[in-house]
Amino acid sequence: SRSMDENIEDAEQFMESRDMDLPIYHYRGRNQEVYSSNLLPTTYVITPDGKIALEEQGMANYNTSEFREFLDTLALPQPQE
């Protein structure tokens, strides 16, 4: 996840409070232009090779079996293009 919080610890505490163990990227980090959005929250799911697989603007429920299956599919080795 990427955080707009000035204090990265706020984002870390938010993730921990929801029992999520995902890397957090600060807004001022690299590739700002790629991950730009005028709406908060915006969620990006990035493949292991760095491609955006999903961009969801606004609130969403990611605690679903469908979303977990989507993530599991992304974790599988992908055919080479």
Side-chain angles (χ1 to χ4, degrees), residues 5-69:
D5 295 315
E6 290 297 322
N7 183 348
I8 196 72
E9 287 82 21
D10 292 343
E12 291 169 346
Q13 288 175 0
F14 174 83
M15 296 294 281
E16 286 174 15
S17 73
R18 285 162 176 73
D19 199 26
M20 295 183 200
D21 184 22
L22 301 168
I24 298 171
Y25 298 95
H26 197 278
Y27 178 72
R28 293 188 185 100
R30 57 190 168 141
N31 296 329
Q32 290 181 32
E33 64 282 349
V34 173
Y35 306 111
S36 81
S37 174
N38 294 324
L39 186 61
L40 292 176
T42 297
T43 300
Y44 298 93
V45 174
I46 305 166
T47 63
D49 62 353
K51 296 178 182 167
I52 296 175
L54 173 78
E55 177 181 343
E56 182 72 34
Q57 295 185 339
M59 298 299 292
N61 179 11
Y62 298 108
N63 190 21
T64 66
S65 59
E66 292 84 8
F67 187 70
R68 284 191 288 284
E69 288 173 17

